[in-house]
């Protein structure tokens, strides 16, 4: 088999390249930036652990994709509504894993890079690959359906802390602000899907609320980055004999805007489809489609529920085991299928401009 050129060097590309290289396919990964993970600067993110039984870090280790990286199970979660009422949620099994993004040695990105290179994949930095010359497209989001701002700094918290602020004045249209910390370092983020021009003021306000609630000392001029994310329901991830993976394909949880797990899994599936001559669309649809549709329905429910609906949702979460509660939300049901159909119709009237690979755009 001839060599494979991959445009982009995020988690999806590196997972794909690792799987190909393990099977002795020459994989070339191109990153237009001179550095790894240019979108992220030593910030915390999370790997969700409620949509599947086997914890994802375990799956990665088994596949030899990224064995050794900072990865802490989290069992406690503090959720605040707009009135700063706190709902403490707990779970027996971790509901997610705290991980690091960026170029630090123990980040997920560094671990993925190391695995890919270990198996012989060639990674080229400062190398922009035109999409027409790529076999696999892994270039990340191509448009802004949501925007996020993150600030990371050294912290002095008594313990590992994960907290979220919800409410339309904090982050409109089912956005949220969050604090992720291992105790020694913290990331404060704000993600919104409306009123983009006011991102800085939403973020400043959320940082103030977190600083007060957790007695955080935020240094002057901390590391801050703004980013955008794609939300769309992909109809296909193949075009002109090219495979799309990760966020470039639209693989993202629509309710929360978390895409890491889908990115890595889609990279693995794309490699498998090449190695085994299987149809990539059939493979990812079997794994992801139902979950995407449920998440789209949940997003519409959250967007339309208002602040009292959000408080009700948080109260429900705090009275149950959080992981169980979240898992149950992702289990298929008639109600969720109906919500998904409504989500499809509601979104199609908005500015869906993702092009012909998007199911929403085609339905307009
Ligand atoms: C602020 C923020 C917080 C997030 N938090 C979470 C979280 O907690 N949990 C979670 O699961 N997800 C989270 N996400 C989403 C997650 O980061 C993405 O889903 C994931 O990084 C997507 O990986 P990817 O491989 O598709 O692309 P990316 O990570 O976007 O990487 C794509 C790379 O391709 C490069 N590139 C683009 N075009 C070309 C080209 N033509 N040639 C060469 N290189 C190119 C880009 O420079 C980029 O480095 C977050 C996103 C943001 C913005």
């Amino acid at each position: 088999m001839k060599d494979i050129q991959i445009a982009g060097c995020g988690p999806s590309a590196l997972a794909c390249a690792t799987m190909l290289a393990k099977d002795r396919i020459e994989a070339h990964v191109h990153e237009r930036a001179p550095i790894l993970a240019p979108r992220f600067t030593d910030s915390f993110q999370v790997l969700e652990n409620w949509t599947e039984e086997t914890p994802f870090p375990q799956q990665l280790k088994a596949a030899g994709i990224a064995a050794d990286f900072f990865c802490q199970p989290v069992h406690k979660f503090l959720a605040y509504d707009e009135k700063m009422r706190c709902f403490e949620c707990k779970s027996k099994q971790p509901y997610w894993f705290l991980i690091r993004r960026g170029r630090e040695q123990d980040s997920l990105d560094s671990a993925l890079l190391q695995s890919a290179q270990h198996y012989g994949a060639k990674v080229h930095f400062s190398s922009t690959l035109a999409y027409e010359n790529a076999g696999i497209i892994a270039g990340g989001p191509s448009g802004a359906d949501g925007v996020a701002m993150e600030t990371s700094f050294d912290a002095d918290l008594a313990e590992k802390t994960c907290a979220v602020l919800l409410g339309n004045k904090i982050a409109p249209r089912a956005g949220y602000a969050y604090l992720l910390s291992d105790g020694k370092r913290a990331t404060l983020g704000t993600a919104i899907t409306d009123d983009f021009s006011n991102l800085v003021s939403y973020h400043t306000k959320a940082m103030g609320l977190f600083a007060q609630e957790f007695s955080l000392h935020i240094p002057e001029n901390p590391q801050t980055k703004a980013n955008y994310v794609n939300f769309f329901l992909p109809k296909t991830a193949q075009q002109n004999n090219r495979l799309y993976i990760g966020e470039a394909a639209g693989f993202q949880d629509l309710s929360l805007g978390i895409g890491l797990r889908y990115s890595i899994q889609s990279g693995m599936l794309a490699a498998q489809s090449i190695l085994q001559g299987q149809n990539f669309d059939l493979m990812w649809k079997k794994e992801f489609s139902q979950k995407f549709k449920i998440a789209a329905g949940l997003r519409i429910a959250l967007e339309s529920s208002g602040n009292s609906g959000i408080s009700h949702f948080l109260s429900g979460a705090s009275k149950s085991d959080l992981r169980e509660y979240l898992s149950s939300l992702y289990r298929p049901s008639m109600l969720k299928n109906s919500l998904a159909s409504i989500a499809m119709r509601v979104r199609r009237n908005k500015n869906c401009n993702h092009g012909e690979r998007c199911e929403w755009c085609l339905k307009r």
Side-chain angles (χ1 to χ4, degrees):
M1 197 180 286
K2 66 183 178 63
D3 60 355
I4 307 254
Q5 304 292 327
I6 305 177
C9 180
S12 60
L14 291 168
C16 183
T18 304
M19 298 301 279
L20 291 171
K22 271 173 97 172
D23 240 85
R24 295 172 198 278
I25 304 289
E26 197 175 318
H28 290 265
V29 180
H30 299 264
E31 171 54 59
R32 66 181 168 204
I35 49 169
L36 181 66
R39 295 174 69 203
F40 305 102
T41 310
D42 193 12
S43 57
F44 288 111
Q45 288 191 7
V46 297
L47 285 174
E48 64 88 353
N49 191 40
W50 58 80
T51 58
E52 284 179 35
E53 266 317 303
T54 312
F56 195 46
Q58 217 168 297
Q59 293 179 30
L60 291 179
K61 203 169 188 171
I65 283 189
D68 207 9
F69 57 97
F70 173 95
C71 181
Q72 291 195 353
V74 187
H75 300 261
K76 192 172 119 184
F77 184 63
L78 301 171
Y80 294 82
D81 68 8
E82 203 157 67
K83 293 183 181 146
M84 287 307 280
R85 278 183 302 206
C86 180
F87 299 85
E88 186 174 323
C89 307
K90 286 186 176 163
S91 66
K92 226 193 250 170
Q93 301 294 324
Y95 64 91
W96 68 30
F97 296 89
L98 191 64
I99 54 136
R100 289 172 89 162
R101 298 294 311 270
R103 292 159 292 287
E104 298 300 308
Q105 220 185 345
D106 59 355
S107 72
L108 174 69
D109 304 271
S110 296
L112 288 167
L113 176 67
Q114 221 174 38
S115 301
Q117 289 178 327
H118 170 77
Y119 288 107
K122 306 275 183 300
V123 181
H124 312 274
F125 289 101
S126 302
S127 171
T128 302
L129 184 67
Y131 278 8
E132 58 267 30
N133 296 327
I136 295 179
I137 300 199
S142 54
D145 300 305
V147 291
M149 185 164 265
E150 279 190 331
T151 298
S152 297
F153 52 94
D154 290 335
D156 186 14
L157 283 163
E159 56 177 358
K160 177 168 61 192
T161 307
C162 292
V164 70
L165 298 179
L166 293 163
N168 284 323
K169 283 193 190 138
I170 298 204
R173 246 183 107 199
Y176 52 89
Y178 53 92
L179 161 66
L180 301 174
S181 171
D182 65 347
K184 293 183 273 217
R185 191 164 168 81
T187 295
L188 291 175
T190 308
I192 57 176
T193 58
D194 204 2
D195 199 13
F196 293 174
S197 57
N198 283 316
L199 176 62
V200 174
S201 78
Y202 287 116
H203 188 52
T204 308
K205 181 176 171 192
M207 286 206 299
L209 290 168
F210 277 125
Q212 201 176 348
E213 185 69 18
F214 293 92
S215 306
L216 282 172
H217 172 69
I218 304 171
E220 267 181 51
N221 304 319
Q223 285 177 331
T224 294
K225 268 210 157 172
N227 251 302
Y228 57 87
V229 288
N230 257 180
F231 286 121
F232 70 92
L233 273 183
K235 184 182 169 62
T236 172
Q238 301 179 160
Q239 208 171 27
N240 303 327
N241 290 326
R242 285 178 203 105
L243 305 185
Y244 286 71
I245 58 176
E247 231 181 301
F251 296 151
Q252 173 105 264
D253 178 296
L254 277 120
S255 65
L256 299 173
I258 50 178
L260 270 175
R261 190 169 184 154
Y262 290 123
S263 286
I264 296 172
Q265 281 177 326
S266 64
M268 291 160 76
L269 286 175
Q272 209 181 317
S273 85
I274 291 168
L275 295 167
Q276 297 170 3
Q278 293 180 40
N279 182 302
F280 180 50
D281 271 347
L282 292 180
M283 294 170 88
W284 72 257
K285 281 183 183 179
K286 187 166 166 237
E287 297 287 329
F288 304 159
S289 271
Q290 183 74 41
K291 289 182 207 162
F292 285 165
K293 288 191 176 159
I294 288 176
L298 289 174
R299 165 148 285 276
I300 293 300
L302 280 173
E303 281 182 6
S304 50
S305 62
N307 288 337
S308 56
I310 287 171
S311 303
H312 182 73
F313 168 77
L314 296 180
S315 164
S318 66
K319 287 180 189 141
S320 328
D321 179 282
L322 181 61
R323 182 171 184 266
E324 288 296 312
Y325 187 73
L326 294 168
S327 297
S328 72
L329 290 179
Y330 280 78
R331 261 177 236 131
S333 72
M334 296 269 280
L335 174 67
K336 283 174 211 152
N337 285 344
S338 314
L339 264 177
S341 316
I342 295 169
M344 300 287 293
R345 265 183 274 131
V346 169
R347 253 328 254 265
R348 139 182 123 203
N349 294 330
K350 304 251 165 159
N351 306 323
C352 194
N353 57 3
H354 306 110
E356 54 192 26
R357 282 183 298 106
C358 175
E359 198 160 347
W360 277 326
C361 302
L362 279 182
K363 289 205 158 190
R364 238 202 298 192

Coordinates of all heavy atoms in Angstrom, one line a residue, residues 303-348:
E303 N -30.8 24.5 25.5 CA -30.9 25.8 25.0 C -32.3 26.4 25.3 O -32.5 27.6 25.5 CB -30.7 25.8 23.5 CG -29.2 25.8 23.1 CD -29.0 25.8 21.6 OE1 -30.0 26.0 20.8 OE2 -27.9 25.7 21.2
S304 N -33.3 25.5 25.3 CA -34.7 26.1 25.4 C -35.2 26.0 26.9 O -36.3 26.5 27.2 CB -35.6 25.4 24.5 OG -35.5 24.0 24.6
S305 N -34.4 25.4 27.8 CA -35.0 25.2 29.1 C -34.9 26.4 30.1 O -35.5 26.5 31.1 CB -34.3 24.0 29.8 OG -32.9 24.2 29.9
G306 N -34.1 27.4 29.7 CA -34.0 28.6 30.6 C -33.2 28.3 31.9 O -32.9 27.2 32.2
N307 N -33.1 29.3 32.7 CA -32.3 29.2 33.9 C -33.0 28.2 34.9 O -32.3 27.5 35.6 CB -32.1 30.5 34.6 CG -31.1 31.4 33.8 OD1 -30.3 30.8 33.1 ND2 -31.2 32.7 33.9
S308 N -34.3 28.2 35.0 CA -35.0 27.3 36.0 C -34.8 25.9 35.5 O -34.6 25.0 36.3 CB -36.4 27.7 36.2 OG -37.1 27.7 34.9
G309 N -34.9 25.7 34.2 CA -34.7 24.3 33.6 C -33.3 23.8 34.0 O -33.0 22.7 34.3
I310 N -32.3 24.7 33.9 CA -30.9 24.4 34.2 C -30.8 24.0 35.7 O -30.2 23.0 36.0 CB -29.9 25.5 33.8 CG1 -29.8 25.6 32.3 CG2 -28.5 25.3 34.4 CD1 -29.1 26.8 31.7
S311 N -31.4 24.8 36.5 CA -31.3 24.5 38.0 C -32.0 23.1 38.3 O -31.4 22.3 39.1 CB -32.0 25.5 38.8 OG -31.5 26.8 38.5
H312 N -33.1 22.8 37.6 CA -33.8 21.5 37.7 C -32.8 20.4 37.3 O -32.7 19.4 38.0 CB -35.0 21.6 36.9 CG -35.9 20.4 37.0 ND1 -36.6 20.1 38.1 CD2 -36.1 19.3 36.1 CE1 -37.2 18.9 37.9 NE2 -36.9 18.4 36.7
F313 N -32.2 20.6 36.2 CA -31.3 19.6 35.6 C -30.1 19.3 36.6 O -29.8 18.2 36.9 CB -30.7 20.1 34.3 CG -29.6 19.3 33.7 CD1 -29.7 18.1 33.1 CD2 -28.3 19.8 33.8 CE1 -28.7 17.4 32.6 CE2 -27.2 19.1 33.3 CZ -27.4 17.9 32.7
L314 N -29.6 20.4 37.2 CA -28.5 20.3 38.2 C -28.9 19.6 39.4 O -28.2 18.7 40.0 CB -27.8 21.6 38.5 CG -27.2 22.4 37.3 CD1 -26.6 23.7 37.8 CD2 -26.1 21.5 36.7
S315 N -30.1 19.9 39.8 CA -30.6 19.3 41.1 C -30.8 17.8 40.9 O -30.4 17.0 41.7 CB -32.0 20.0 41.4 OG -32.7 19.3 42.3
G316 N -31.3 17.4 39.7 CA -31.4 16.0 39.4 C -30.1 15.3 39.4 O -29.9 14.2 40.0
A317 N -29.1 16.0 38.8 CA -27.7 15.4 38.8 C -27.2 15.2 40.2 O -26.5 14.2 40.5 CB -26.8 16.2 37.9
S318 N -27.4 16.2 41.1 CA -26.8 16.1 42.4 C -27.5 15.0 43.3 O -26.9 14.6 44.3 CB -26.9 17.5 43.1 OG -28.3 17.8 43.3
K319 N -28.7 14.6 42.9 CA -29.4 13.6 43.7 C -29.1 12.2 43.2 O -29.6 11.2 43.8 CB -30.9 13.9 43.6 CG -31.3 15.1 44.4 CD -32.8 15.3 44.4 CE -33.2 16.6 45.0 NZ -34.2 17.3 44.2
S320 N -28.4 12.1 42.1 CA -28.1 10.7 41.6 C -26.6 10.5 41.6 O -25.8 11.4 41.9 CB -28.6 10.6 40.2 OG -29.7 11.4 39.9
D321 N -26.2 9.3 41.2 CA -24.8 9.1 40.9 C -24.5 9.8 39.5 O -25.2 9.5 38.5 CB -24.5 7.6 40.8 CG -23.0 7.3 40.4 OD1 -22.7 7.5 39.2 OD2 -22.3 6.9 41.3
L322 N -23.6 10.7 39.5 CA -23.4 11.6 38.3 C -23.1 10.8 37.0 O -23.7 11.1 36.0 CB -22.3 12.6 38.6 CG -22.0 13.6 37.4 CD1 -23.3 14.4 37.1 CD2 -20.9 14.5 37.7
R323 N -22.3 9.8 37.1 CA -21.9 9.0 35.9 C -23.2 8.3 35.4 O -23.5 8.2 34.2 CB -20.8 8.1 36.2 CG -20.4 7.3 35.0 CD -19.1 6.5 35.2 NE -18.8 5.8 33.9 CZ -19.1 4.6 33.6 NH1 -19.9 3.9 34.5 NH2 -18.8 4.1 32.5
E324 N -23.9 7.7 36.4 CA -25.1 7.0 36.0 C -26.1 7.9 35.4 O -26.8 7.6 34.4 CB -25.8 6.4 37.3 CG -25.1 5.2 37.9 CD -25.0 4.0 36.9 OE1 -26.1 3.7 36.4 OE2 -24.0 3.5 36.7
Y325 N -26.2 9.1 35.9 CA -27.2 10.1 35.4 C -26.8 10.5 34.0 O -27.7 10.5 33.1 CB -27.1 11.3 36.4 CG -28.1 12.4 36.1 CD1 -29.5 12.2 36.4 CD2 -27.7 13.6 35.5 CE1 -30.4 13.2 36.2 CE2 -28.7 14.6 35.3 CZ -30.0 14.4 35.6 OH -30.9 15.5 35.4
L326 N -25.5 10.8 33.8 CA -25.1 11.2 32.4 C -25.2 10.0 31.4 O -25.7 10.2 30.3 CB -23.7 11.7 32.5 CG -23.5 13.0 33.3 CD1 -22.0 13.3 33.5 CD2 -24.1 14.2 32.5
S327 N -24.9 8.8 31.9 CA -25.1 7.6 31.0 C -26.5 7.5 30.6 O -26.8 7.2 29.4 CB -24.7 6.3 31.7 OG -23.3 6.4 32.1
S328 N -27.4 7.7 31.6 CA -28.8 7.5 31.3 C -29.3 8.5 30.2 O -30.1 8.2 29.4 CB -29.7 7.5 32.5 OG -29.7 8.9 33.0
L329 N -28.7 9.7 30.3 CA -29.1 10.7 29.3 C -28.7 10.3 27.9 O -29.4 10.7 26.9 CB -28.4 12.0 29.6 CG -28.9 12.8 30.8 CD1 -28.1 14.1 31.0 CD2 -30.4 13.1 30.7
Y330 N -27.7 9.5 27.8 CA -27.2 9.1 26.4 C -27.8 7.7 26.0 O -27.4 7.2 24.9 CB -25.6 9.0 26.4 CG -25.1 10.4 26.2 CD1 -25.0 11.3 27.3 CD2 -24.6 10.9 25.0 CE1 -24.5 12.6 27.1 CE2 -24.2 12.2 24.8 CZ -24.1 13.0 25.9 OH -23.6 14.3 25.7
R331 N -28.6 7.1 26.8 CA -29.3 5.9 26.4 C -30.4 6.2 25.4 O -31.2 7.1 25.7 CB -29.8 5.1 27.6 CG -28.8 4.0 28.0 CD -29.3 3.3 29.2 NE -28.2 3.3 30.2 CZ -28.4 3.7 31.5 NH1 -29.6 4.0 32.0 NH2 -27.3 3.7 32.3
P332 N -30.6 5.5 24.3 CA -31.6 5.9 23.3 C -33.0 5.7 23.9 O -33.2 4.8 24.8 CB -31.4 4.9 22.2 CG -30.1 4.2 22.4 CD -29.7 4.4 23.8
S333 N -34.0 6.5 23.5 CA -35.4 6.3 23.9 C -36.2 7.0 22.9 O -35.7 7.8 22.1 CB -35.6 6.9 25.3 OG -35.6 8.3 25.2
M334 N -37.5 6.8 22.9 CA -38.5 7.4 22.0 C -38.4 8.9 22.1 O -38.3 9.7 21.2 CB -39.9 7.0 22.3 CG -40.1 5.5 22.1 SD -40.7 5.2 20.4 CE -42.4 5.7 20.5
L335 N -38.4 9.4 23.4 CA -38.4 10.8 23.7 C -37.1 11.5 23.1 O -37.2 12.5 22.5 CB -38.4 11.1 25.2 CG -38.3 12.5 25.6 CD1 -39.5 13.3 25.2 CD2 -38.1 12.7 27.2
K336 N -36.0 10.8 23.3 CA -34.7 11.4 22.8 C -34.7 11.4 21.2 O -34.2 12.3 20.6 CB -33.5 10.6 23.3 CG -33.3 11.1 24.8 CD -32.2 10.2 25.4 CE -32.5 10.1 26.9 NZ -32.0 8.9 27.4
N337 N -35.3 10.3 20.6 CA -35.4 10.3 19.2 C -36.2 11.5 18.7 O -35.9 12.2 17.7 CB -36.0 9.0 18.6 CG -35.0 7.9 18.7 OD1 -33.8 8.1 18.9 ND2 -35.5 6.7 18.7
S338 N -37.3 11.8 19.4 CA -38.2 13.0 19.0 C -37.4 14.3 19.2 O -37.4 15.1 18.3 CB -39.4 13.1 19.8 OG -40.0 11.8 20.0
L339 N -36.7 14.4 20.3 CA -35.9 15.6 20.5 C -34.9 15.8 19.4 O -34.6 16.9 19.0 CB -35.2 15.5 21.9 CG -35.8 16.1 23.1 CD1 -35.0 15.9 24.3 CD2 -36.0 17.6 22.9
A340 N -34.2 14.7 19.0 CA -33.2 14.7 17.9 C -33.9 15.2 16.7 O -33.3 16.1 16.0 CB -32.6 13.4 17.7
S341 N -35.1 14.8 16.3 CA -35.8 15.2 15.1 C -36.0 16.7 15.2 O -35.9 17.5 14.2 CB -37.1 14.5 14.9 OG -37.0 13.2 15.1
I342 N -36.5 17.2 16.4 CA -36.7 18.6 16.6 C -35.4 19.4 16.4 O -35.4 20.4 15.7 CB -37.3 18.9 18.0 CG1 -38.7 18.2 18.1 CG2 -37.4 20.4 18.2 CD1 -39.3 18.2 19.5
A343 N -34.4 18.9 17.0 CA -33.1 19.5 16.9 C -32.7 19.7 15.4 O -32.2 20.8 15.0 CB -32.0 18.7 17.6
M344 N -32.9 18.7 14.6 CA -32.6 18.8 13.2 C -33.3 19.9 12.5 O -32.8 20.6 11.7 CB -32.9 17.4 12.5 CG -32.2 16.2 13.0 SD -30.5 16.2 12.5 CE -30.7 16.0 10.8
R345 N -34.6 20.0 12.9 CA -35.5 21.0 12.2 C -35.1 22.4 12.7 O -35.0 23.3 11.9 CB -37.0 20.7 12.4 CG -37.5 19.9 11.3 CD -39.0 19.6 11.4 NE -39.2 18.4 12.2 CZ -40.0 18.3 13.2 NH1 -40.7 19.3 13.6 NH2 -40.2 17.2 13.9
V346 N -34.9 22.5 14.0 CA -34.6 23.9 14.5 C -33.3 24.4 13.9 O -33.2 25.5 13.5 CB -34.5 23.8 16.1 CG1 -33.9 25.1 16.7 CG2 -35.8 23.5 16.7
R347 N -32.3 23.5 13.9 CA -31.0 24.0 13.5 C -31.0 24.3 12.0 O -30.3 25.2 11.5 CB -30.0 22.9 13.7 CG -29.0 23.0 14.8 CD -28.5 24.4 15.1 NE -27.2 24.7 14.6 CZ -26.1 24.6 15.3 NH1 -26.2 24.2 16.6 NH2 -25.0 24.9 14.8
R348 N -31.9 23.6 11.2 CA -31.8 23.8 9.8 C -32.3 25.2 9.4 O -32.0 25.7 8.3 CB -32.6 22.7 9.1 CG -33.5 22.9 8.1 CD -34.2 21.6 7.7 NE -35.6 21.8 7.8 CZ -36.5 20.9 7.9 NH1 -36.1 19.6 8.1 NH2 -37.8 21.1 8.0

